[in-house]
Amino acid sequence: MHLLASQIAAATGGTLHGPDVQVDSAGIDSRAVRPGELFVPIVAARDGHDFIPAAVAAGAAAYLTDRAPDPAVPASAVQVPDTFHALADLGREARRRLLDRVVGVTGSVGKTSTKDLLAGVLATTYRTAASEKSFNNELGLPLTLLGAPDDTEAVVLEMGARGVGHIALLCEIASPTVGVLTRVEGVHLEMFGSLADVAQAKGELVESLPKDGLAILNADHEIVAAMDSRTQARVLTYGLNAGADVRAENVVLDDQLRASFDLVTPWGATPVVLAARGEHQVPNALAAAAAGGGLGVPVEAIAAGLYDARLSGLRMELSTTDAGVVVINDAYNANPTSMGAALGSLARLEARRRFAVLGTMAELGEDGPAAHRGVVEQARELGITVIAVAEPDYGAGVVHVDDVDGAVAALTDLAGGALSEGDAVLVKGSRVAALERVAQALF
């Protein structure tokens, strides 16, 4: 989005120093600044002000600062009381310039995949912008709004939370007109405290919607379905439930874990094939279909958009090594629900031996040990051998290793010298485990 430095100063209550240059979007990482951007230095573990010269050298047209600008830095500056709050103010200004097709997506699991699928659906009909990767917090959301081109007709925003009130803040910045709720699960309990707190936080999205807005709720998930009482907006439901407004019938999974089904909606029915892998992507696709249809996307275009949509990286990436080993790289994140879905997908692959290299499921609080043992029990029932990387909570009955090299060595030993055709390996863990390195090593 194009803004003049004077407009940035007006939106943030700041003072412009230097020429009234035009900027295009914004960034907070000096290493990733693109020419013409506004650099926003954030004070966190490191002070972003220290990197203003590097950002300008990389091409930043202007920068924010909460202190006196350095005359030696050859770029316009907007001096503000606080750069963090100024970024939020700029997000509000960017939202004010957009049309009212702004969709917020939240939930304990599935929100990034749903965001990606919905962006694919909307892009068939509207010029669409969407959050990159998992840009879903007080920094990523305004950056997404500022990064939307001036001619954007629809925006999809992922919304995450670390506690009650966080999504309400994001909604105050973004003013969504459509809200999509996936599931509410007992994840991040270390931060939230209880499942009730998770539900309270996620429901802030539908509470923020205007009367002429649209809430998309999961009919298969009781906690989410009950949120129809928390919104003044019109409600559309989705799911495998026969009573859902948007539902899937005759779901079939192929040998590459891609689902096909008959999509049934208030606007008509059509066959759908997903490129995204895993049966657990069907509800995410239905959520995207409901939001897209509610925003006027024709049902045939919904099907085309779901097929063409591509998920963010490290999510159910299925590849085969030169030796014929099938590898599922689902290493972006993990919680008990997504872990169960991934193990179920591994079990559905045609294979003579199945291995799961699993890292920690973080932020589960006091439920962590039991949750990890529950994953092992599920794997045992599915005939999957578990290799646990640096996570003792998986307990007995698994192979414990300390690091990536240990995981690869354990796989080799369990395979009798080398993995080969007929073997399938799932790699999954929370982001802190960075287990995509195991998948990379297998190739």
Side-chain angles (χ1 to χ4, degrees):
M1 185 169 291
H2 294 96
L3 291 169
L4 293 173
S6 58
Q7 294 170 328
I8 293 170
T12 59
T15 302
L16 173 60
H17 299 263
D20 191 12
V21 297
Q22 178 178 278
V23 301
D24 181 14
S25 74
I28 60 174
D29 185 343
S30 63
R31 299 164 300 181
V33 164
R34 292 172 295 190
E37 279 191 336
L38 172 73
F39 178 63
V40 182
I42 300 298
V43 180
R46 293 191 293 179
D47 188 342
H49 290 80
D50 295 339
F51 302 95
I52 289 174
V56 171
Y63 64 92
L64 297 184
T65 178
D66 63 13
R67 55 206 66 171
D70 183 351
V73 177
S76 296
V78 176
Q79 188 174 2
V80 296
D82 181 276
T83 56
F84 178 85
H85 292 105
L87 178 58
D89 288 336
L90 289 177
R92 295 181 186 93
E93 175 64 17
R95 170 62 182 95
R96 188 183 65 79
R97 295 164 179 250
L98 292 168
L99 298 173
D100 275 342
R101 297 189 193 95
V102 176
V103 186
V105 180
T106 195
S108 300
V109 294
K111 56 184 175 290
T112 302
S113 295
T114 299
K115 176 261 300 182
D116 293 336
L117 291 164
L118 178 54
V121 167
L122 293 177
T124 65
T125 307
Y126 305 114
R127 290 182 291 276
T128 300
S131 305
E132 293 183 10
K133 302 176 183 177
S134 291
F135 278 23
N136 61 15
N137 61 14
E138 302 95 323
L139 299 176
L141 183 137
L143 289 175
T144 299
L145 291 168
L146 287 162
D150 291 334
D151 62 353
T152 296
E153 297 175 309
V155 180
V156 187
L157 299 169
E158 181 177 335
M159 295 183 174
R162 301 179 306 281
V164 174
H166 289 161
I167 288 178
L169 171 61
L170 298 180
C171 291
E172 191 274 323
I173 296 171
S175 299
T177 53
V178 179
V180 180
L181 266 293
T182 60
R183 296 175 64 92
V184 171
E185 302 284 0
V187 301
H188 306 308
L189 291 182
E190 192 173 78
M191 294 182 291
F192 280 96
S194 70
L195 184 62
D197 289 333
V198 178
Q200 178 62 35
K202 300 301 183 182
E204 291 168 0
L205 172 55
V206 296
E207 288 178 341
S208 78
L209 299 174
K211 287 183 179 180
D212 59 353
L214 177 62
I216 308 296
L217 302 180
N218 187 342
D220 296 335
H221 196 63
E222 184 177 352
I223 296 176
V224 174
M227 290 183 186
D228 62 353
S229 65
R230 294 176 60 181
T231 185
Q232 60 183 339
R234 179 167 64 98
V235 173
L236 275 175
T237 61
Y238 70 91
L240 302 178
N241 188 318
D245 297 317
V246 176
R247 62 187 183 274
E249 298 179 351
N250 306 315
V251 178
V252 176
L253 216 61
D254 69 12
D255 59 1
Q256 294 292 300
L257 303 179
R258 294 170 298 207
S260 60
F261 56 89
D262 295 323
L263 175 65
V264 181
T265 80
W267 317 285
T270 189
V272 166
V273 177
L274 299 181
R277 291 181 167 89
E279 191 169 5
H280 59 286
Q281 295 294 354
V282 174
N284 298 333
L286 294 175
L295 286 172
V297 179
V299 68
E300 294 80 9
I302 290 173
L306 290 174
Y307 179 78
D308 290 335
R310 294 296 179 265
L311 301 191
S312 300
L314 306 182
R315 291 168 173 84
M316 292 300 292
E317 296 176 353
L318 190 149
S319 305
T320 304
T321 71
D322 290 342
V325 180
V326 177
V327 180
I328 302 175
N329 185 358
D330 196 35
Y332 184 78
N333 216 336
N335 56 62
T337 302
S338 66
M339 193 72 84
L343 289 171
S345 295
L346 175 62
R348 298 187 71 150
L349 285 174
E350 288 292 333
R352 59 189 173 89
R353 297 183 297 196
R354 299 178 181 87
F355 305 97
V357 180
L358 307 181
T360 188
M361 296 185 292
E363 299 175 348
L364 296 180
E366 63 183 16
D367 293 337
H372 285 86
R373 292 193 299 271
V375 167
V376 172
E377 181 59 31
Q378 182 178 0
R380 184 179 297 114
E381 292 173 356
L382 294 172
I384 297 169
T385 301
V386 173
I387 299 169
V389 182
E391 180 47 84
D393 281 349
Y394 282 112
V398 307
V399 178
H400 287 275
V401 299
D402 294 329
D403 52 25
V404 169
D405 290 341
V408 174
L411 283 169
T412 301
D413 291 342
L414 290 167
L419 294 168
S420 59
E421 186 172 357
D423 291 330
V425 181
L426 166 69
V427 180
K428 188 169 181 62
S430 285
R431 188 83 298 271
V432 293
L435 285 192
E436 66 273 13
R437 296 171 295 162
V438 175
Q440 293 163 359
L442 294 177
F443 284 88

